[in-house]
Amino acid sequence: MAKVIECIPNVSEGRRADVIESIAAAVRAVPGVRLLDHSSDSSHNRSVFTFAGDAAAVSAAVLAIYERAIPAIDLRTHKGEHPRLGAVDVVPFVPIEGVTMAECVALAKQVASDVASRFAVPVYLYEDAAPDPARRNLEDIRRGEFEGLAAKMASPGWAPDFGPSAPHPSAGASVIGARMPLIAYNINLNTNRLDVAKKIAAAIRHSSGGFRYVKAAGFELKDRGIVQVSMNLTNFEKTPIFRVFETVKREAKRHGVTILESEIVGLIPAAALTAAAEYYLQIGGFNPDAQILENRLRAKDNAD
Amino acid sequence: MAKVIECIPNVSEGRRADVIESIAAAVRAVPGVRLLDHSSDSSHNRSVFTFAGDAAAVSAAVLAIYERAIPAIDLRTHKGEHPRLGAVDVVPFVPIEGVTMAECVALAKQVASDVASRFAVPVYLYEDAAPDPARRNLEDIRRGEFEGLAAKMASPGWAPDFGPSAPHPSAGASVIGARMPLIAYNINLNTNRLDVAKKIAAAIRHSSGGFRYVKAAGFELKDRGIVQVSMNLTNFEKTPIFRVFETVKREAKRHGVTILESEIVGLIPAAALTAAAEYYLQIGGFNPDAQILENRLRAKDNAD
């Protein structure tokens, strides 16, 4: 099986098309890298690039992004609604195929070290790459943003994992790490009662007593006259999508509400969907690697 | 996306290990072909080889099988429980990835023509490759078996599609065609009442009024004290697995019986499982090609 790592850098530029295109072109130019998607939000003033390849290829692509972003982006004049610490703000590595989380953690540390030494940018490691459990969470690392960064870095417990002990003057700091694939998943309800969506979100999200790997909030979709439970599923192996769906369905029922539909925003790993099929079809003794035709076709050794 | 065709030749030899291994070795030796599986049944005296590759590769592998099988297998002395017409009895081509059914039909006709001219074996085309709807069905073509073949070929409507108008003396005839992937799917019931399994099988199978692409029978699993509805799903796009499962569940309920578990026997295309996930999770507006990560990684053009 080919080794495939996904990488999704978030860069603090969502308005200047020439800068964004120059970064996309730099990624495309790296042999062995496939740029799967990139999207920019001008109110956030932020762009997200999604690409995949083996460790050497994605690592080269990340360094190519820094080469373009550092001279082009100055956080001292950057404005946008989305919180950010640096020009290249966040760089997660995600194991997709034939790769362990441990390999992605090792890669994150290597890239963090390269970024610190080549660009003099301080780097915090996050999620599975964080050496300190208190610094796993991206929101905690980013609190205070670029404007509060110099003071934060000087305070106890906030020395970076790599690089200088003060911010890069224009590029701030970066957060680099390894995590499971994230699934952006919404469930729309047959009601316009926002309180129902908010109560269900509170019931299922980790922060208020729900599932360990669910972040959730309730929103109104005003133009459609309905409400939505909007979620990030941060580990679909440990908190599977079908368990979240069934729990939302049960919680909705106590309010006399049904599920209108759900939606996957962006990409989802095939394994998250096949696990749902196994659950609902009550399939016993199933071996996805051996029995899903496409997996067999791609297995490296011919297990004949 | 790579072009992948699956081919599953059924050969009338399930006992002599040297003959079976010589055929497997011939398949493995074809560049671009991956032998996914082969299994032999000695009471059937029959072996099934499953391999995949592009059109040129699988076509070369089929001809290699004939080269080994024709001198080694003599239908005049062959005995076995499974019905058969020829030494290489049935050769289906199945579209898996980046290939249409029309391309598999064209391939089946080309291979049929090659087999007829190189080995002087008459060939019937079946399923989607059959020019005559009355000859789509394998069971109809094979009725009478090798022993009745000379008489059948001489009777009206049974001239072969390619090759001589009489059987090959030792190798009989072959049935070559194109079909959708077949899913072997069983549902085990929480009861030992065989009549319930038989009634459910009758309710869902095409031949007695059920779904168009379901073949089904009820069996007793004596050692476990339960019964089973055993199925072949011959077109999972038109008769999806979740609809069959839900119908079996409802039919079981009227007998006061529940589903214990279901099982996939052998291989299943990923799309059959992801369609079930879409159904049960009520996912709206989903585009598997664009949104399933593995499909995006394998898309030929970078739709960025």
Side-chain angles (χ1 to χ4, degrees):
Chain A
M1 197 175 280
K3 293 197 168 207
V4 181
I5 295 168
E6 189 189 11
C7 183
I8 312 104
N10 288 228
V11 177
S12 296
E13 174 57 62
R15 295 172 186 165
R16 290 175 294 163
D18 58 327
V19 175
I20 297 163
E21 187 39 51
S22 136
I23 291 171
V27 172
R28 278 194 207 94
V30 177
V33 165
R34 181 184 286 266
L35 181 60
L36 298 171
D37 191 44
H38 72 90
S39 65
S40 301
D41 186 306
S42 81
S43 65
H44 288 180
N45 199 5
R46 187 179 183 85
S47 296
V48 178
F49 300 85
T50 305
F51 53 85
D54 66 14
V58 294
S59 151
V62 170
L63 297 174
I65 288 178
Y66 276 87
E67 267 173 13
R68 302 287 173 104
I70 299 275
I73 300 172
D74 189 337
L75 270 280
R76 289 166 297 196
T77 55
H78 175 274
K79 303 260 180 252
E81 283 172 25
H82 198 288
R84 75 286 178 269
L85 273 191
V88 180
D89 194 48
V90 190
V91 182
F93 295 100
V94 177
I96 300 297
E97 200 171 274
V99 173
T100 63
M101 180 57 83
E103 290 176 83
C104 286
V105 166
L107 175 63
K109 289 179 180 173
Q110 181 58 53
V111 170
S113 164
D114 292 348
V115 163
S117 59
R118 283 184 52 180
F119 303 101
V121 170
V123 177
Y124 292 95
L125 296 170
Y126 84 121
E127 285 293 334
D128 286 50
D132 178 350
R135 295 205 329 207
R136 279 185 72 96
N137 192 342
L138 178 60
E139 286 72 29
D140 294 338
I141 299 171
R142 206 158 48 191
R143 193 165 296 123
E145 298 198 42
F146 174 76
E147 289 71 15
L149 182 61
K152 183 173 191 163
M153 290 184 73
S155 68
W158 287 105
D161 293 300
F162 290 92
S165 55
H168 183 288
S170 60
S174 286
V175 188
I176 298 179
R179 60 163 173 80
M180 284 288 289
L182 183 151
I183 300 172
Y185 183 55
N186 298 330
I187 297 181
N188 296 337
L189 304 177
N190 257 326
T191 181
N192 62 357
R193 290 157 58 197
L194 181 57
D195 65 307
V196 171
K198 285 182 180 293
K199 278 178 192 158
I200 294 174
I204 59 164
R205 72 181 165 229
H206 183 238
S207 65
S208 50
F211 292 114
R212 173 72 186 86
Y213 296 102
V214 175
K215 299 176 182 186
F219 291 107
E220 209 172 346
L221 303 185
K222 279 204 175 138
D223 51 327
R224 297 181 63 188
I226 58 171
V227 297
Q228 176 177 85
V229 181
S230 178
M231 292 164 277
N232 276 331
L233 310 182
T234 59
N235 187 327
F236 69 86
E237 290 180 348
K238 292 183 179 160
T239 303
I241 193 167
F242 58 80
R243 196 167 298 145
V244 173
F245 178 85
E246 288 298 319
T247 306
V248 169
K249 186 153 78 176
R250 272 203 318 275
E251 293 292 322
K253 198 174 170 190
R254 69 183 284 187
H255 303 287
V257 167
T258 59
I259 290 177
L260 177 62
E261 69 193 347
S262 76
E263 58 185 38
I264 307 289
V265 183
L267 298 171
I268 182 168
L273 293 174
T274 56
E278 278 185 74
Y279 171 81
Y280 287 108
L281 298 173
Q282 294 180 237
I283 303 175
F286 188 63
N287 180 342
D289 288 340
Q291 292 189 262
I292 295 179
L293 186 58
E294 288 81 353
N295 293 350
R296 285 297 301 280
L297 289 173
R298 278 161 200 124
K300 202 151 206 165
D301 54 331
N302 191 333
D304 162 38
Chain B
M1 199 174 279
K3 294 197 167 207
V4 180
I5 296 168
E6 189 189 10
C7 184
I8 312 103
N10 287 227
V11 177
S12 297
E13 175 56 63
R15 294 173 187 165
R16 289 175 295 161
D18 57 327
V19 174
I20 297 163
E21 186 41 48
S22 136
I23 291 172
V27 173
R28 278 195 206 95
V30 177
V33 164
R34 181 184 286 267
L35 181 61
L36 298 171
D37 192 42
H38 72 91
S39 65
S40 301
D41 187 307
S42 80
S43 65
H44 288 179
N45 201 3
R46 185 177 183 86
S47 296
V48 179
F49 301 85
T50 305
F51 53 86
D54 66 14
V58 295
S59 150
V62 170
L63 296 174
I65 288 177
Y66 277 88
E67 266 172 14
R68 302 288 173 103
I70 299 275
I73 300 172
D74 190 337
L75 269 280
R76 290 168 292 197
T77 56
H78 176 273
K79 302 261 180 255
E81 282 171 26
H82 198 288
R84 77 284 178 270
L85 272 192
V88 180
D89 195 49
V90 189
V91 181
F93 294 99
V94 177
I96 300 296
E97 199 172 276
V99 173
T100 63
M101 181 57 83
E103 291 176 84
C104 286
V105 166
L107 175 64
K109 289 179 180 171
Q110 182 57 54
V111 170
S113 163
D114 292 349
V115 163
S117 61
R118 281 182 54 178
F119 302 102
V121 171
V123 177
Y124 292 95
L125 296 170
Y126 84 120
E127 285 293 335
D128 286 50
D132 179 351
R135 294 205 327 206
R136 280 185 71 95
N137 191 341
L138 177 61
E139 285 71 30
D140 294 338
I141 300 171
R142 206 157 48 191
R143 192 166 297 123
E145 299 199 41
F146 174 77
E147 289 70 15
L149 183 60
K152 182 171 192 164
M153 289 184 74
S155 69
W158 286 105
D161 294 297
F162 290 92
S165 57
H168 183 288
S170 61
S174 286
V175 188
I176 298 179
R179 60 163 172 81
M180 285 287 290
L182 182 152
I183 300 172
Y185 183 54
N186 298 330
I187 297 181
N188 296 337
L189 304 176
N190 257 325
T191 181
N192 61 358
R193 289 157 58 198
L194 180 58
D195 65 307
V196 171
K198 284 182 180 292
K199 279 178 191 157
I200 294 174
I204 59 164
R205 72 181 165 228
H206 182 239
S207 64
S208 51
F211 292 113
R212 173 71 185 87
Y213 296 103
V214 175
K215 299 178 182 184
F219 291 107
E220 209 173 349
L221 304 186
K222 279 206 174 135
D223 49 331
R224 297 181 61 188
I226 59 172
V227 297
Q228 176 176 85
V229 181
S230 178
M231 292 165 278
N232 276 332
L233 309 182
T234 59
N235 187 327
F236 69 87
E237 289 179 350
K238 293 183 179 161
T239 302
I241 192 168
F242 57 80
R243 196 167 298 144
V244 174
F245 178 84
E246 289 298 319
T247 306
V248 169
K249 188 153 77 176
R250 274 203 318 275
E251 293 293 322
K253 198 176 169 187
R254 70 184 285 187
H255 303 287
V257 167
T258 59
I259 290 178
L260 179 62
E261 69 194 348
S262 77
E263 59 185 38
I264 307 289
V265 183
L267 297 172
I268 182 168
L273 292 175
T274 57
E278 277 187 74
Y279 171 81
Y280 287 108
L281 298 174
Q282 293 180 238
I283 303 176
F286 188 65
N287 180 341
D289 288 341
Q291 292 190 261
I292 295 178
L293 184 59
E294 288 82 354
N295 293 350
R296 285 298 301 280
L297 288 173
R298 276 160 203 126
K300 202 153 207 166
D301 54 331
N302 191 336
D304 161 45

